[in-house]
Amino acid sequence: MGTENPGRPSFPARTAATPFAAAPPQNVMPFSSSGPLVGSEASGFRPTPPAAPQPTVPFSSSGPLAGSQSSGFRLPPPPRYNDPSVPPPASNVPPTGGPFQRFPTPPFPSTVQAPTSRVPPVGQPIAQTPAPPVSFRPQPQIPPVPMGAPPQSVNSAPPNVNVPYSVSDSSFPAPMTNFQSSFPGYARMQSNADLQPPPMQSPFPSHQGGYAPAPPTSSTPFLSHQGGYVPPPPVAAPLGLQSRDQMQYPGSGAPGSIQGLIEDFSSLSIGSVPGSIDPGVDPKALPRPLEGDVEPKLFSEMYPMNCNPRFLRLTTSGIPNSQSLASRWHLPLGAVVCPLAEAPDGEEVPVVNFVSTGIIRCRRCRTYVNPYVTFTDAGRKWRCNICSLLNDVPGDYFAHLDATGKRIDLDQRPELTKGSVEFVAPTEYMMRPPMPPVYFFLIDVSVSAVRSGMIEVVAQTIRSCLDELPGYPRTQIGFATFDSAIHFYNMKSSLTQPQMMVVSDLDDIFVPLPDDLLVNLSESRSVVETFLDSLPSMFQDNVNVESAFGPALKAAFMVMSQLGGKLLIFQNTLPSLGVGRLKLRGDDLRVYGTDKEHMLRIPEDQFYKQMAAELTKYQIAVNVYAFSDKYTDIASLGTLAKYTGGQVCYYPGFQSAIHGEKLRHELARDLTRETAWESVMRIRCGKGVRFTSYHGNFMLRSTDLMALPAVDCDKAYAMQLTLEETLLTTQTVYFQVALLYTASCGERRIRVHTAAAPVVADLGEMYRQADVGAVVSVFSRLAIEKTLSSKLEDARNSVQLRIVKSLKEYRNLYAVQHRLGGRIIFPESLKFLPLYGLALCRSTPLRGGYADAPLDERCSAGYTMMTLPVKKLLKLLYPSLIRLDEYFLKASAQVDDFKILEKRLPLAAENLDSRGLYLYDDGFRFNIWFGRALSPDVAMNLLGADFAAELSKVTLSERENEMSRKLMRILKKSRESDPSYYHLCHLVRQGEQPREGFLLLSNLVEDQMGGANGYVDWILQIHRQVQQNP
Amino acid sequence: MVKLTLIARVTDGLPLAEGLDDSRDLKDAEFYKQQVKALFKNLSRGQNEASRMSIETGPYIFHYIIEGRVCYLTMCDRAYPKKLAFQYLEDLKNEFERVNGAQIETAARPYAFIKFDTFIQKTKKLYQDTRTQRNIAKLNDELYEVHQIMTRNVQEVLGVGEKLDQVSEMSSRLTSESRIYADKARDLNRQALIRKWAPVAIVFGVVFLLFWVKTKIW
């Protein structure tokens, strides 16, 4: 045993050395460092480089355990079992020296070879033979636990199936098979074990070390291998299996019993020879997300103190422990954050006010105190979970520890028990006093706006929302309108009626009044109401066709720059005067398919980007409402929203009669939802990992500080991680999202979400813990960003390529061992990934070419999808399709009224029965499809007398019969379940072209349509590519 | 003309309310706000300042009143009548005490009464123009006496704190130095003692040794 040590040091030494060599605490910038909003607290903070206890002994041949423990930054030594495959080239190149001769080849060089030498399912006694029994002799003696033979064998078998005894009494062959499949690491390791004489035992402890603390006393490596599950109850096999789960996730329940193991991956039989045309796929058997989005359960069960997944979702909860592992995970590695997600009643985020002590944060990395910090030294110190620095506990915050090391006041400290809390920010977190909520409306009054009826709807909606604007009594409000000139309105409270001031000098914009353009709503209420009442009629006869949008925007900026706030732009005519005028450029068919194609999707004029930067600086968020029936260059206008944390709402060809309700609802929601103002957001994470790219609507103020002038519950942000160090030495990575904002009531607060995720050492585990919703969210943001720099085709191909790569990698893990030649296999957790990938390629921003979606719609959908939270995005990608007529004809059973909403159908035309009535719901609209052979009764009941008329002219309204009431109830219920957007209802009859085509058929993502693949073809195509050798 | 308005608790310098968009056409508003904060800090250290005071700073002048452990401060042009400024502060004080009087002591977060800014805003507008009938009447009103209110310079005021700091620092340095001096003196004393008596002791020692040797041998 002694002789193996010289061979090992290169690994532990590396693990110990790298963190110190390159360990800049990545979240060096404290929250406050860069915003005008945040205070001087930054100055107090100086990143002290971590002291490296043994930086000078990296390659010395001291004992491996000592070497890896030297870090002092983590509690147990977490060596990695797959070091050999991972370490930087240096350790992989075998020098001729003695120590390395034990690794004749880099031990786990490729996953492909490994399984070959690996012994397939237990129960085949032949498996024993290749193992040199000597090498494993020590093992049976070592497990010190008094347990019966069978469980022992089950537990310890996987790593060494070849050892005779493990098979001899394997009374539970089936679970073991699954066990192995779930644990590819073992497979590869084992092949290695075959090659290696005793020294290779050392990888075993390191493997286990990744999950469970190795007992410090263990001198023999194998003991530490057992360490993870030393205390399993010596009962029957299933329990033994559960204990396996525990050993992976200390503290978790026992989520995966046999069931979980069996489901570890799914396979799809593809009967045909790959490459042949005959589709051997059973379309019915393909996986479909008919239950909608499922939040990953396992993750929150493992770490019960994590914040709810509605706030933070990781693309995989298993963080790879090495860069090489991360590079084999071809999917995005990152997180989707929705900091203000609406919490159901009873789960509100608790508010904590540290009056006397100030907010408790780590001195070095500025992490906020959270449930994962540990208190030591009888409660006088606390250890930061992110950078492991020992901090002093302020006197007023001190509490004694009980016998288990927990603070005795734990039940009164939500910040130490809950993953999400809000801290009341003290003065240091404000550069200026909290500003009131400000709403400034910039309304286009050119002739097309007047004709569309937009102004009327907007004025009515604003008026009806005046009572519900947040922040009473401080709320400020202001208006300006523009056509070829800019009109300001003096709404001083002493006036009885607003005064209009016209500025027609567009070259040199000035604000005609110093104040009173932005007034306190509660004081000037009557003037504001008078204004809104008269606004529609004021411009009734306007025939001006110009739009001085750019100058108007500048003027609005000047009015708002003191206070910041929200700027709502209602825009109808392509900007034609002054700065920021735009050209008609969207209807050029020939550009598509060329290298210049993407230029259409990025802003034409730098003015908009510069303006957006200025607006963000002054804490102004822009929401763009566009209404034109012609081209309005959403690509340029949307930039304003993109960089100021706003949103784009596009109502193509707005007609108040049709879209009025939708605008009313969405504007009202925009005005009345709880909004966080003047905010900045930062996400911190543990040593060795770093967030490097961010995707969504915001402005990056420093490398990792997102400036968000306004945030609300409907906005989500995606970000991607990279590993900074070759090897992660910790067992857990912690993430902390902190959003510093001003609430509408004038309180400055910090909302903190904390989550922990285990570090895993093998790829199979990463797949097992993947969260398809988050993966798809990040994916779609990346794809949309890609459309801004390259062709649509390329963006689609990149989506497909990444899916193929990841499935190929997964296949390499498992395919050979399970002889799945003709089958496509994918992890259970990602079974919907191919379908969502397909749906993404066919979504509005990415689909087809010139003819498939108007440019403006494409851009606005792109801007919208960049902000959507996971749930809504998945709904949009794979909408629900529900058959209604059967339900109508059934006798009314009030109880299961809404059960029907859960019975979703696959999105394929073959599921549309011409005798049926279907509801298609993508979260933004309803399409109700009337089959050609639908019984006239139903149609008559729902539509009244004009049921036979052209459906585009018919609107749905409640009628005096049970059926119609039922339908309305269902629609209402659907709308209520998802209030962030209004579902506009379209009626369409089978065969009614072209409406049926663009409303419904093109959205049935499983069907072949134009040049796009259907689901079956897509799967086959992916499968073929997966099978191709690289 | 009123430029800035701030209300803070004297006991700990916690800001309670502030007039908004005051600094619209004020270039270095930040600088003056810092001064105000320093001033509040000074006050919270319990230096017994007059309850009414004017402090000159650059082209402006701070006026403040302290009442009920709350400090109401405003910054005006130098030309702005002192009388009006103090009237303005009195108005603020009356309203603030009426509305928030009970909660002042328990306020835990900064700007807890930020809603008061609407009143500040309104009142400020009344005092904006010195030549309105109302303000002229106020100016002529002899009831409110402002003559005895002290006017000092901001450097002086902020300097007081600094000087006090210096004094306390110096005195603490003095204590520690004198302690060192005492130690050193004791040490030297002992050394002197040794130097004085050591030769004598050695001589005696030698003599006794000789005696002892002598008695032992013979």
Side-chain angles (χ1 to χ4, degrees):
Chain A
M1 278 276 186
T3 53
E4 83 208 44
N5 278 346
R8 291 244 329 136
S10 59
F11 316 128
R14 185 141 291 266
T15 50
T18 32
F20 301 118
Q26 48 285 108
N27 290 310
V28 154
M29 311 281 295
F31 218 160
S32 54
S33 64
S34 36
L37 285 176
V38 277
S40 54
E41 154 253 26
S43 58
F45 163 64
R46 288 287 172 279
T48 40
Q54 292 192 345
T56 51
V57 285
F59 287 92
S60 78
S61 59
S62 63
L65 279 177
S68 58
Q69 267 168 338
S70 67
S71 75
F73 274 80
R74 59 220 141 77
L75 304 163
R80 303 284 147 212
Y81 85 99
N82 63 348
D83 279 358
S85 70
V86 170
S91 59
N92 252 345
V93 181
T96 49
F100 273 99
Q101 67 191 1
R102 301 192 191 289
F103 302 94
T105 55
F108 315 107
S110 87
T111 46
V112 194
Q113 325 177 342
T116 51
S117 61
R118 164 187 198 288
V119 183
V122 207
Q124 300 178 357
I126 318 119
Q128 320 160 6
T129 45
V134 197
S135 69
F136 288 96
R137 272 305 152 213
Q139 296 170 11
Q141 312 155 0
I142 288 164
V145 199
M147 44 178 164
Q152 190 180 26
S153 76
V154 167
N155 284 328
S156 57
N160 39 29
V161 196
N162 341 31
V163 180
Y165 80 91
S166 74
V167 182
S168 61
D169 51 10
S170 66
S171 38
F172 308 98
M176 275 185 54
T177 316
N178 295 312
F179 191 121
Q180 289 167 6
S181 62
S182 74
F183 233 151
Y186 278 127
R188 285 180 284 136
M189 212 160 61
Q190 191 187 334
S191 71
N192 206 357
D194 291 341
L195 299 174
Q196 316 285 313
M200 272 321 288
Q201 283 176 350
S202 47
F204 286 125
S206 17
H207 173 102
Q208 288 301 334
Y211 298 118
T217 49
S218 74
S219 53
T220 43
F222 209 80
L223 252 187
S224 59
H225 158 62
Q226 290 290 345
Y229 49 100
V230 160
V235 212
L239 262 178
L241 285 166
Q242 288 184 358
S243 74
R244 179 209 67 132
D245 270 304
Q246 281 158 359
M247 103 197 158
Q248 285 180 40
Y249 328 110
S252 78
S257 55
I258 301 177
Q259 187 60 34
L261 297 174
I262 292 173
E263 281 178 359
D264 191 50
F265 71 76
S266 315
S267 69
L268 254 184
S269 174
I270 296 194
S272 66
V273 182
S276 79
I277 302 158
D278 168 39
V281 188
D282 175 14
K284 296 239 164 30
L286 294 173
R288 294 183 175 89
L290 299 181
E291 278 85 51
D293 174 36
V294 182
E295 287 172 352
K297 284 274 179 309
L298 193 64
F299 185 37
S300 45
E301 278 166 11
M302 264 156 54
Y303 292 101
M305 292 188 293
N306 271 4
C307 61
N308 192 293
R310 77 175 79 91
F311 299 118
L312 171 71
R313 282 172 77 163
L314 296 169
T315 55
T316 171
S317 326
I319 304 299
N321 71 339
S322 64
Q323 282 177 347
S324 67
L325 185 57
S327 67
R328 285 168 59 204
W329 167 260
H330 296 282
L331 299 171
L333 181 62
V336 180
V337 175
C338 186
L340 291 176
E342 279 175 309
D345 290 340
E347 285 185 46
E348 285 86 2
V349 178
V351 179
V352 178
N353 192 355
F354 289 117
V355 185
S356 48
T357 56
I359 293 182
I360 316 275
R361 299 177 71 178
C362 173
R363 259 185 332 201
R364 178 165 61 195
C365 63
R366 311 302 295 156
T367 299
Y368 296 85
V369 69
N370 62 64
Y372 295 105
V373 304
T374 45
F375 287 84
T376 56
D377 198 5
R380 283 191 294 272
K381 300 230 155 125
W382 62 275
R383 187 177 291 282
C384 169
N385 56 328
I386 289 195
C387 71
S388 355
L389 184 79
L390 263 187
N391 291 276
D392 293 329
V393 174
D396 291 339
Y397 195 65
F398 175 79
H400 289 286
L401 303 186
D402 65 7
T404 57
K406 294 207 169 69
R407 284 169 62 110
I408 48 172
D409 64 346
L410 213 54
D411 50 338
Q412 294 149 27
R413 298 276 182 197
E415 73 275 13
L416 296 179
T417 50
K418 293 259 172 37
S420 303
V421 280
E422 281 201 327
F423 297 120
V424 173
T427 347
E428 298 86 64
Y429 293 79
M430 355 183 152
M431 282 298 280
R432 56 178 189 177
M435 292 292 143
V438 175
Y439 291 90
F440 194 82
F441 300 88
L442 188 59
I443 304 169
D444 187 346
V445 290
S446 61
V447 61
S448 58
V450 175
R451 286 214 192 113
S452 70
M454 171 270 280
I455 299 174
E456 199 172 349
V457 178
V458 169
Q460 280 168 5
T461 311
I462 298 172
R463 195 185 191 290
S464 67
C465 290
L466 287 181
D467 277 327
E468 295 159 59
L469 287 182
Y472 175 85
R474 301 176 70 214
T475 320
Q476 308 235 346
I477 195 168
F479 296 88
T481 54
F482 64 97
D483 42 23
S484 61
I486 305 164
H487 323 121
F488 295 95
Y489 301 90
N490 178 359
M491 299 204 268
K492 199 176 173 154
S493 52
S494 49
L495 299 170
T496 51
Q497 133 174 1
Q499 288 170 348
M500 177 163 146
M501 283 154 290
V502 179
V503 173
S504 50
D505 180 5
L506 300 180
D507 295 330
D508 182 22
I509 296 294
F510 62 95
V511 176
L513 269 182
D515 10 61
D516 296 325
L517 294 178
L518 208 52
V519 292
N520 184 306
L521 177 60
S522 51
E523 284 167 17
S524 303
R525 178 68 184 260
S526 63
V527 192
V528 171
E529 280 178 358
T530 321
F531 168 75
L532 288 171
D533 287 340
S534 56
L535 179 66
S537 55
M538 245 190 281
F539 294 98
Q540 221 163 24
D541 306 319
N542 195 355
V543 288
N544 203 321
V545 294
E546 302 286 353
S547 161
F549 177 75
L553 182 67
K554 275 186 136 176
F557 167 66
M558 287 156 113
V559 174
M560 296 180 75
S561 60
Q562 274 306 318
L563 297 179
K566 210 176 219 176
L567 171 62
L568 295 103
I569 296 173
F570 300 88
Q571 190 272 349
N572 209 318
T573 312
L574 190 71
S576 60
L577 291 177
V579 284
R581 82 178 73 84
L582 296 168
K583 292 195 292 283
L584 275 176
R585 53 167 188 157
D587 40 3
D588 190 0
L589 173 59
R590 286 160 303 172
V591 178
Y592 276 83
T594 67
D595 291 340
K596 285 197 174 150
E597 181 193 314
H598 70 274
M599 298 298 288
L600 292 176
R601 293 184 285 270
I602 56 176
E604 186 190 6
D605 194 337
Q606 280 303 306
F607 168 77
Y608 289 95
K609 210 171 166 183
Q610 284 158 8
M611 240 3 245
E614 281 290 294
L615 290 161
T616 318
K617 210 160 119 195
Y618 288 91
Q619 304 293 352
I620 302 169
V622 179
N623 285 358
V624 178
Y625 290 80
F627 302 95
S628 177
D629 50 347
K630 294 194 281 293
Y631 175 74
T632 52
D633 205 346
I634 298 286
S636 296
L637 299 178
T639 321
L640 292 172
K642 181 179 166 75
Y643 293 108
T644 60
Q647 67 185 39
V648 178
C649 297
Y650 180 47
Y651 307 83
F654 182 85
Q655 288 300 321
S656 60
I658 302 166
H659 304 96
E661 198 51 43
K662 187 171 169 66
L663 172 61
R664 214 165 279 145
H665 178 94
E666 286 170 8
L667 178 56
R669 173 143 176 113
D670 188 4
L671 294 178
T672 56
R673 67 186 159 196
E674 185 53 53
T675 305
W677 309 87
E678 316 177 282
S679 36
V680 283
M681 182 162 83
R682 165 168 284 143
I683 176 162
R684 297 182 165 81
C685 52
K687 207 150 63 78
V689 286
R690 195 158 66 92
F691 282 103
T692 43
S693 66
Y694 299 84
H695 313 275
N697 286 5
F698 55 82
M699 180 78 105
L700 219 50
R701 199 178 280 161
S702 63
T703 50
D704 63 342
L705 185 73
M706 285 182 258
L708 301 161
V711 203
D712 51 65
C713 54
D714 298 327
K715 304 271 171 17
Y717 307 89
M719 46 210 79
Q720 289 197 85
L721 268 181
T722 47
L723 269 70
E724 284 200 308
E725 292 167 17
T726 333
L727 273 180
L728 288 188
T729 50
T730 44
Q731 293 174 24
T732 316
V733 171
Y734 297 95
F735 298 93
Q736 190 170 66
V737 181
L739 177 82
L740 172 64
Y741 70 96
T742 305
S744 295
C745 60
E747 270 189 64
R748 195 120 173 101
R749 289 194 183 161
I750 307 164
R751 181 175 279 223
V752 177
H753 302 298
T754 314
V759 173
V760 300
D762 92 79
L763 194 61
E765 193 55 33
M766 284 180 75
Y767 278 111
R768 215 165 81 76
Q769 306 236 17
D771 173 359
V772 73
V775 169
V776 171
S777 286
V778 182
F779 242 169
S780 51
R781 283 169 163 87
L782 291 174
I784 291 166
E785 281 179 4
K786 182 140 182 128
T787 63
L788 303 182
S789 59
S790 54
K791 286 183 278 190
L792 293 174
E793 188 69 42
D794 295 347
R796 287 194 295 264
N797 286 341
S798 72
V799 169
Q800 189 175 354
L801 190 68
R802 286 186 86 162
I803 293 175
V804 166
K805 270 191 185 163
S806 76
L807 290 183
K808 190 181 273 181
E809 196 71 49
Y810 191 75
R811 186 179 178 79
N812 289 342
L813 278 183
Y814 290 112
V816 183
Q817 95 200 41
H818 286 278
R819 307 205 184 90
L820 291 165
R823 295 164 78 82
I824 178 167
I825 66 169
F826 40 81
E828 173 69 18
S829 58
L830 293 176
K831 62 181 173 185
F832 303 133
L833 182 65
L835 179 56
Y836 279 127
L838 172 65
L840 176 61
C841 291
R842 297 187 53 179
S843 62
T844 321
L846 270 85
R847 73 161 63 132
Y850 171 77
D852 293 283
L855 182 58
D856 277 342
E857 274 180 51
R858 215 182 265 283
C859 291
S860 81
Y863 284 123
T864 306
M865 280 170 69
M866 291 294 282
T867 63
L868 285 184
V870 176
K871 253 193 175 60
K872 287 213 54 102
L873 184 69
L874 294 189
K875 179 95 179 278
L876 176 64
L877 288 179
Y878 197 85
S880 63
L881 183 68
I882 300 157
R883 182 161 185 167
L884 294 177
D885 58 318
E886 286 165 351
Y887 159 72
F888 289 146
L889 296 174
K890 225 168 41 185
S892 130
Q894 289 288 342
V895 190
D896 58 332
D897 223 15
F898 302 118
K899 279 264 172 63
I900 185 169
L901 288 175
E902 289 153 22
K903 266 173 53 187
R904 296 171 60 175
L905 296 168
L907 283 175
E910 64 181 24
N911 287 307
L912 293 174
D913 183 351
S914 65
R915 284 163 301 177
L917 176 76
Y918 293 86
L919 173 69
Y920 165 96
D921 169 16
D922 66 1
F924 288 80
R925 59 182 172 178
F926 295 133
N927 288 331
I928 299 180
W929 187 85
F930 292 78
R932 197 181 283 128
L934 177 68
S935 103
D937 274 359
V938 177
M940 178 116 83
N941 277 332
L942 295 179
L943 304 175
D946 42 356
F947 71 95
E950 173 133 356
L951 285 184
S952 58
K953 298 195 178 72
V954 180
T955 50
L956 201 63
S957 56
E958 186 160 334
R959 286 167 212 286
E960 279 306 305
N961 58 64
E962 186 57 27
M963 221 175 265
S964 177
R965 274 196 290 273
K966 267 186 181 172
L967 176 64
M968 293 322 252
R969 242 190 345 252
I970 286 178
L971 299 187
K972 187 156 168 269
K973 174 80 182 173
S974 280
R975 281 175 182 147
E976 277 170 0
S977 70
D978 181 12
S980 44
Y981 292 90
Y982 183 82
H983 306 60
L984 196 61
C985 198
H986 300 277
L987 307 176
V988 65
R989 198 189 302 277
Q990 185 178 12
E992 186 185 348
Q993 293 295 358
R995 286 184 76 235
E996 187 191 15
F998 69 78
L999 280 179
L1000 188 63
L1001 296 185
S1002 66
N1003 294 320
L1004 296 177
V1005 293
E1006 292 188 18
D1007 285 337
Q1008 196 161 344
M1009 189 75 186
N1013 286 319
Y1015 192 16
V1016 172
D1017 297 337
W1018 170 263
I1019 285 283
L1020 280 176
Q1021 198 179 340
I1022 286 184
H1023 180 56
R1024 262 198 302 274
Q1025 292 179 354
V1026 166
Q1027 295 231 314
Q1028 275 165 11
N1029 288 323
Chain B
M1 211 175 123
V2 176
K3 298 284 184 195
L4 291 176
T5 313
L6 292 102
I7 301 177
R9 191 159 65 190
V10 176
T11 40
D12 53 2
L14 186 79
L16 299 177
E18 185 170 330
L20 290 185
D21 69 329
D22 280 330
S23 46
R24 186 180 289 271
D25 29 44
L26 194 62
K27 285 220 174 50
D28 26 5
E30 271 317 303
F31 171 73
Y32 292 111
K33 278 191 185 171
Q34 288 305 326
Q35 275 197 346
V36 173
K37 274 174 196 158
L39 200 64
F40 284 152
K41 209 183 246 171
N42 262 359
L43 290 175
S44 68
R45 260 182 297 188
Q47 291 163 27
N48 276 329
E49 294 284 351
S51 70
R52 279 172 175 64
M53 173 114 84
S54 301
I55 301 167
E56 293 169 339
T57 171
Y60 305 108
I61 187 160
F62 295 132
H63 302 286
Y64 73 77
I65 59 178
I66 298 176
E67 197 108 346
R69 274 185 271 181
V70 177
C71 175
Y72 306 83
L73 183 143
T74 184
M75 187 176 87
C76 318
D77 291 323
R78 281 194 177 209
Y80 192 78
K82 210 173 184 180
K83 212 173 197 173
L84 275 187
F86 278 98
Q87 279 281 352
Y88 167 63
L89 291 177
E90 286 288 323
D91 284 3
L92 290 189
K93 187 204 80 182
N94 292 337
E95 177 70 10
F96 194 75
E97 277 177 355
R98 194 180 63 78
V99 180
N100 304 312
Q103 303 150 31
I104 291 171
E105 288 305 306
T106 54
R109 62 185 175 85
Y111 299 106
F113 308 110
I114 191 70
K115 282 181 183 152
F116 192 69
D117 69 349
T118 51
F119 181 81
I120 298 180
Q121 217 66 343
K122 257 187 291 182
T123 321
K124 198 179 83 176
K125 276 186 189 137
L126 297 179
Y127 285 90
Q128 205 76 283
D129 190 353
T130 49
R131 275 162 297 184
T132 55
Q133 206 45 251
R134 175 182 168 281
N135 287 345
I136 288 171
K138 279 205 164 149
L139 276 177
N140 295 331
D141 191 354
E142 289 300 319
L143 282 179
Y144 195 76
E145 200 49 69
V146 292
H147 295 304
Q148 69 269 41
I149 291 176
M150 216 183 339
T151 304
R152 293 167 68 183
N153 188 282
V154 72
Q155 297 309 332
E156 213 178 303
V157 177
L158 294 182
V160 169
E162 267 168 41
K163 272 177 206 148
L164 277 183
D165 282 348
Q166 278 171 9
V167 167
S168 72
E169 196 191 322
M170 268 149 72
S171 71
S172 68
R173 205 186 306 148
L174 194 66
T175 336
S176 68
E177 301 254 305
S178 62
R179 201 168 293 133
I180 292 168
Y181 176 76
D183 285 347
K184 274 196 176 152
R186 204 174 304 126
D187 206 36
L188 283 176
N189 242 346
R190 201 179 329 118
Q191 275 183 22
L193 200 74
I194 290 170
R195 208 168 289 163
K196 192 170 172 189
W197 292 104
V200 182
I202 291 169
V203 168
F204 272 100
V206 169
V207 169
F208 279 120
L209 191 74
L210 284 177
F211 271 113
W212 181 71
V213 168
K214 208 172 142 192
T215 51
K216 259 287 165 301
I217 295 174
W218 286 281

